[in-house]
Amino acid sequence: MFWKSLFPGAIGSETPTGIGEHELLITEFVAANGERIHVYFSTTRDIDVYALEALCDAVGWAKRPLRKVRKALEFSFLIGSLWQERGQNRRLIGFARATSDHAFNATLWDVVVHPEVQGKGLGKTLMRQMIRELRREEISNITLFADPQVVTFYEELGFHPDPEGIKGMFWYPS
Ligand SMILES: CC(C)(COP(=O)(O)OP(=O)(O)OC[C@H]1O[C@@H](n2cnc3c(N)ncnc32)[C@H](O)[C@@H]1OP(=O)(O)O)[C@@H](O)C(=O)NCCC(=O)NCCS
């Protein structure tokens, strides 16, 4: 497959495609059969919880009750998704969401890119778009919880572990 990055991922380098205010053409590539495949970022498309859980399942995350996933989506501040489109077919290949107090703080959750298309810069672009959307809402403090194996991924995007010695702390029911 030949991947052509239309937008290398730098914040501000995107161009609206005209298909929707919050839809951006991120990348296009040509499949082995010569078919052109496009990847879009969206903040407005409806998310099918079955497709989302299939995506999370593909990276080995534990299954979650769909009722709770629906509720989490409903009460999220921002939902970003990546879609692979060939002809009339579209497929969810990336996802991230943020919860927020709508003023100062937002926390990112469920950042995921399908294993078939990982390592092509889509995760970075997805994250940069999420940051861009949150900054547009004047949110200045963006936090997340990084699995140990992805700390470098987030550091490269400008996230700092334990800034000024601040530690993330967790309470779980015993
Ligand atoms: C983490 C994830 C979203 C990254 O998406 P991706 O599309 O593969 O990432 P990109 O191709 O944009 O990679 C961007 C950079 O991060 C690096 N990177 C990607 N995944 C990485 C990982 N697991 N560990 C360390 N670095 C990683 C890449 O090497 C790349 O570096 P480069 O720009 O110097 O080449 C994706 O691997 C994924 O969905 N993983 C499983 C779910 C997960 O762990 N989510 C995070 C939960 S906290």
Side-chain angles (χ1 to χ4, degrees):
M1 284 186 182
F2 167 67
W3 281 74
K4 178 186 170 198
S5 178
L6 296 180
F7 305 107
I11 292 175
S13 70
E14 303 86 346
T15 307
T17 61
I19 59 170
E21 195 188 344
H22 295 288
E23 301 226 355
L24 295 168
L25 178 60
I26 297 296
T27 264
E28 69 176 333
F29 62 94
V30 180
N33 64 1
E35 196 177 6
R36 222 166 245 292
I37 299 175
H38 298 97
V39 177
Y40 289 92
F41 169 82
S42 173
T43 56
T44 52
R45 287 191 189 178
D46 287 339
I47 304 294
D48 177 306
V49 285
Y50 293 96
L52 175 58
E53 288 310 281
L55 176 60
C56 295
D57 192 48
V59 297
W61 285 351
K63 288 204 186 319
R64 306 180 290 186
L66 294 181
R67 175 183 59 83
K68 295 191 98 176
V69 174
R70 259 186 219 105
K71 197 165 185 177
L73 295 182
E74 185 187 345
F75 288 97
S76 288
F77 178 65
L78 172 68
I79 292 174
S81 50
L82 292 179
W83 300 83
Q84 181 175 294
E85 302 198 359
R86 47 167 65 174
Q88 295 301 310
N89 296 331
R90 64 168 59 160
R91 176 186 173 216
L92 181 69
I93 55 164
F95 180 86
R97 68 185 178 92
T99 49
S100 176
D101 59 13
H102 296 215
F104 304 106
N105 305 291
T107 305
L108 290 160
W109 305 95
D110 301 341
V111 178
V112 57
V113 169
H114 197 283
E116 284 173 15
V117 288
Q118 284 179 12
K120 300 179 189 303
L122 293 179
K124 220 178 211 177
T125 304
L126 172 65
M127 284 295 298
R128 287 191 165 134
Q129 289 300 331
M130 293 297 286
I131 294 166
R132 182 190 164 113
E133 295 289 337
L134 293 171
R135 295 292 295 131
R136 195 178 279 166
E137 298 297 323
E138 298 183 19
I139 302 282
S140 51
N141 189 32
I142 303 174
T143 53
L144 55 80
F145 302 95
D147 288 339
Q149 69 275 14
V150 287
V151 168
T152 314
F153 168 71
Y154 289 123
E155 280 180 331
E156 283 174 7
L157 287 157
F159 286 84
H160 301 282
D162 304 338
E164 296 170 26
I166 297 168
K167 297 281 181 196
M169 299 184 73
F170 301 79
W171 181 93
Y172 295 114
S174 47

